[in-house]
Amino acid sequence: MIYQDIHAARFIARPNRFIARVEVEGREETVHVKNTGRCKELLVPGCTVYLEGSSNPQRKTRFDLVAVEKVRSSQPPLLINMDSQAPNKVFGEWMSAGLGAGFGLPKPSLLRPETTWGNSRFDFYWEESESGRKGFVEVKGCTLEENGLALFPDAPTERGVKHLHELIACHGAGYEAAVCVVIQMEGMTSFSPNDRTHPKFGAALRGAYQAGVKVLAEECAVATDSLTMTKPVPVRL
């Protein structure tokens, strides 16, 4: 996926989860943050962030904050895409191109976003007409890393646990089921559930895997103006 009209800025503060104050083009602006998560380890006062400009004159804010350079003590800054809408977009591009073959996923004849089954709405439903295969995928965006280890979630997510239980039910009903962690940064050695922050999610992910749900992790190439899923990352459960 491609962003338009990107501007570098200096992060100042985040008054609430929807907006941030930044210095851009020599002036202070209030911008929309496209991630309602905590992101405290990313949005540090003085760090460099990247904004996408909007041409919509009706908007209250002129810019969306879409990426950040994570400050690291002994290494260069790590560019992280923190747009929470981006993982579904890049997964859709990746799946439509048939690049999930290495994970046992087909190039689908039908790929439908936001599909309800049971008590959950999953990110994607797919069908492959020649074989008759069909399945559901839940996508999780990952922006948390510790020493090259990608971790999810960065905050407790009861909704995420519910989705995993529903994926198990889908699989039991004859559908293929998968959860795909889209890692919005480069250079990760592996992915693991963040048991320290939400042990219930880690337990549910391991239970889903044991029940036959595919657990995938895919790293992205990250630029200030683009995000592309590129290669698998080992999953350590």
Side-chain angles (χ1 to χ4, degrees), residues 40-54:
K40 290 183 178 180
E41 77 285 356
L42 301 180
L43 295 178
V44 177
C47 74
T48 299
V49 294
Y50 294 93
L51 317 174
E52 182 179 36
S54 171

PDB file of all heavy atoms in Angstrom, residues 40-54:
ATOM      1  N   LYS A  40       3.107   3.727  23.931  1.00  0.00           N
ATOM      2  CA  LYS A  40       3.942   4.605  24.756  1.00  0.00           C
ATOM      3  C   LYS A  40       5.419   4.428  24.476  1.00  0.00           C
ATOM      4  O   LYS A  40       6.212   5.360  24.645  1.00  0.00           O
ATOM      5  CB  LYS A  40       3.648   4.355  26.243  1.00  0.00           C
ATOM      6  CG  LYS A  40       2.282   4.838  26.690  1.00  0.00           C
ATOM      7  CD  LYS A  40       2.092   4.628  28.181  1.00  0.00           C
ATOM      8  CE  LYS A  40       0.734   5.166  28.644  1.00  0.00           C
ATOM      9  NZ  LYS A  40       0.527   4.968  30.095  1.00  0.00           N
ATOM     10  N   GLU A  41       5.808   3.221  24.058  1.00  0.00           N
ATOM     11  CA  GLU A  41       7.222   2.983  23.769  1.00  0.00           C
ATOM     12  C   GLU A  41       7.621   3.571  22.424  1.00  0.00           C
ATOM     13  O   GLU A  41       8.816   3.663  22.112  1.00  0.00           O
ATOM     14  CB  GLU A  41       7.517   1.472  23.798  1.00  0.00           C
ATOM     15  CG  GLU A  41       7.070   0.687  22.576  1.00  0.00           C
ATOM     16  CD  GLU A  41       5.568   0.423  22.486  1.00  0.00           C
ATOM     17  OE1 GLU A  41       4.825   0.790  23.424  1.00  0.00           O
ATOM     18  OE2 GLU A  41       5.145  -0.156  21.477  1.00  0.00           O
ATOM     19  N   LEU A  42       6.638   3.986  21.625  1.00  0.00           N
ATOM     20  CA  LEU A  42       6.909   4.545  20.296  1.00  0.00           C
ATOM     21  C   LEU A  42       6.840   6.065  20.290  1.00  0.00           C
ATOM     22  O   LEU A  42       7.734   6.732  19.763  1.00  0.00           O
ATOM     23  CB  LEU A  42       5.924   3.983  19.272  1.00  0.00           C
ATOM     24  CG  LEU A  42       5.886   2.464  19.086  1.00  0.00           C
ATOM     25  CD1 LEU A  42       4.853   2.091  18.034  1.00  0.00           C
ATOM     26  CD2 LEU A  42       7.253   1.926  18.716  1.00  0.00           C
ATOM     27  N   LEU A  43       5.760   6.600  20.837  1.00  0.00           N
ATOM     28  CA  LEU A  43       5.536   8.040  20.778  1.00  0.00           C
ATOM     29  C   LEU A  43       6.187   8.714  21.981  1.00  0.00           C
ATOM     30  O   LEU A  43       5.553   9.043  22.981  1.00  0.00           O
ATOM     31  CB  LEU A  43       4.035   8.321  20.710  1.00  0.00           C
ATOM     32  CG  LEU A  43       3.347   7.804  19.438  1.00  0.00           C
ATOM     33  CD1 LEU A  43       1.853   8.078  19.476  1.00  0.00           C
ATOM     34  CD2 LEU A  43       3.969   8.407  18.191  1.00  0.00           C
ATOM     35  N   VAL A  44       7.487   8.909  21.831  1.00  0.00           N
ATOM     36  CA  VAL A  44       8.316   9.532  22.863  1.00  0.00           C
ATOM     37  C   VAL A  44       8.561  10.985  22.462  1.00  0.00           C
ATOM     38  O   VAL A  44       8.912  11.254  21.299  1.00  0.00           O
ATOM     39  CB  VAL A  44       9.655   8.783  22.998  1.00  0.00           C
ATOM     40  CG1 VAL A  44      10.558   9.446  24.018  1.00  0.00           C
ATOM     41  CG2 VAL A  44       9.406   7.324  23.355  1.00  0.00           C
ATOM     42  N   PRO A  45       8.381  11.947  23.380  1.00  0.00           N
ATOM     43  CA  PRO A  45       8.603  13.347  23.007  1.00  0.00           C
ATOM     44  C   PRO A  45       9.958  13.560  22.337  1.00  0.00           C
ATOM     45  O   PRO A  45      10.986  13.093  22.809  1.00  0.00           O
ATOM     46  CB  PRO A  45       8.535  14.068  24.359  1.00  0.00           C
ATOM     47  CG  PRO A  45       7.588  13.227  25.174  1.00  0.00           C
ATOM     48  CD  PRO A  45       7.899  11.805  24.770  1.00  0.00           C
ATOM     49  N   GLY A  46       9.917  14.239  21.195  1.00  0.00           N
ATOM     50  CA  GLY A  46      11.122  14.522  20.439  1.00  0.00           C
ATOM     51  C   GLY A  46      11.408  13.555  19.313  1.00  0.00           C
ATOM     52  O   GLY A  46      12.265  13.826  18.464  1.00  0.00           O
ATOM     53  N   CYS A  47      10.702  12.411  19.268  1.00  0.00           N
ATOM     54  CA  CYS A  47      10.977  11.434  18.210  1.00  0.00           C
ATOM     55  C   CYS A  47      10.434  11.929  16.869  1.00  0.00           C
ATOM     56  O   CYS A  47       9.584  12.823  16.800  1.00  0.00           O
ATOM     57  CB  CYS A  47      10.367  10.076  18.565  1.00  0.00           C
ATOM     58  SG  CYS A  47       8.567   9.998  18.412  1.00  0.00           S
ATOM     59  N   THR A  48      10.938  11.339  15.802  1.00  0.00           N
ATOM     60  CA  THR A  48      10.494  11.686  14.453  1.00  0.00           C
ATOM     61  C   THR A  48       9.291  10.836  14.063  1.00  0.00           C
ATOM     62  O   THR A  48       9.311   9.612  14.214  1.00  0.00           O
ATOM     63  CB  THR A  48      11.619  11.471  13.432  1.00  0.00           C
ATOM     64  OG1 THR A  48      12.723  12.314  13.768  1.00  0.00           O
ATOM     65  CG2 THR A  48      11.152  11.817  12.020  1.00  0.00           C
ATOM     66  N   VAL A  49       8.246  11.489  13.593  1.00  0.00           N
ATOM     67  CA  VAL A  49       7.054  10.797  13.111  1.00  0.00           C
ATOM     68  C   VAL A  49       6.795  11.224  11.668  1.00  0.00           C
ATOM     69  O   VAL A  49       7.344  12.220  11.188  1.00  0.00           O
ATOM     70  CB  VAL A  49       5.820  11.093  13.992  1.00  0.00           C
ATOM     71  CG1 VAL A  49       5.989  10.525  15.378  1.00  0.00           C
ATOM     72  CG2 VAL A  49       5.533  12.598  14.051  1.00  0.00           C
ATOM     73  N   TYR A  50       5.954  10.452  10.992  1.00  0.00           N
ATOM     74  CA  TYR A  50       5.630  10.747   9.599  1.00  0.00           C
ATOM     75  C   TYR A  50       4.124  10.875   9.445  1.00  0.00           C
ATOM     76  O   TYR A  50       3.361  10.056   9.972  1.00  0.00           O
ATOM     77  CB  TYR A  50       6.203   9.660   8.692  1.00  0.00           C
ATOM     78  CG  TYR A  50       7.715   9.677   8.723  1.00  0.00           C
ATOM     79  CD1 TYR A  50       8.412   8.865   9.621  1.00  0.00           C
ATOM     80  CD2 TYR A  50       8.441  10.548   7.911  1.00  0.00           C
ATOM     81  CE1 TYR A  50       9.794   8.907   9.693  1.00  0.00           C
ATOM     82  CE2 TYR A  50       9.821  10.598   7.978  1.00  0.00           C
ATOM     83  CZ  TYR A  50      10.491   9.783   8.858  1.00  0.00           C
ATOM     84  OH  TYR A  50      11.859   9.839   8.934  1.00  0.00           O
ATOM     85  N   LEU A  51       3.732  11.913   8.734  1.00  0.00           N
ATOM     86  CA  LEU A  51       2.337  12.281   8.593  1.00  0.00           C
ATOM     87  C   LEU A  51       1.907  12.190   7.139  1.00  0.00           C
ATOM     88  O   LEU A  51       2.681  12.524   6.238  1.00  0.00           O
ATOM     89  CB  LEU A  51       2.112  13.721   9.069  1.00  0.00           C
ATOM     90  CG  LEU A  51       2.798  14.160  10.361  1.00  0.00           C
ATOM     91  CD1 LEU A  51       2.572  15.657  10.573  1.00  0.00           C
ATOM     92  CD2 LEU A  51       2.282  13.368  11.559  1.00  0.00           C
ATOM     93  N   GLU A  52       0.663  11.738   6.922  1.00  0.00           N
ATOM     94  CA  GLU A  52       0.073  11.797   5.596  1.00  0.00           C
ATOM     95  C   GLU A  52      -0.885  12.974   5.545  1.00  0.00           C
ATOM     96  O   GLU A  52      -1.791  13.079   6.376  1.00  0.00           O
ATOM     97  CB  GLU A  52      -0.667  10.504   5.257  1.00  0.00           C
ATOM     98  CG  GLU A  52      -1.253  10.529   3.842  1.00  0.00           C
ATOM     99  CD  GLU A  52      -1.983   9.248   3.467  1.00  0.00           C
ATOM    100  OE1 GLU A  52      -2.631   8.657   4.352  1.00  0.00           O
ATOM    101  OE2 GLU A  52      -1.901   8.846   2.295  1.00  0.00           O
ATOM    102  N   GLY A  53      -0.665  13.863   4.577  1.00  0.00           N
ATOM    103  CA  GLY A  53      -1.539  15.010   4.430  1.00  0.00           C
ATOM    104  C   GLY A  53      -2.866  14.641   3.801  1.00  0.00           C
ATOM    105  O   GLY A  53      -2.962  13.700   3.012  1.00  0.00           O
ATOM    106  N   SER A  54      -3.892  15.372   4.163  1.00  0.00           N
ATOM    107  CA  SER A  54      -5.228  15.166   3.604  1.00  0.00           C
ATOM    108  C   SER A  54      -5.634  16.399   2.800  1.00  0.00           C
ATOM    109  O   SER A  54      -5.360  17.532   3.201  1.00  0.00           O
ATOM    110  CB  SER A  54      -6.246  14.914   4.711  1.00  0.00           C
ATOM    111  OG  SER A  54      -7.558  14.911   4.204  1.00  0.00           O
TER     112      SER A  54
END
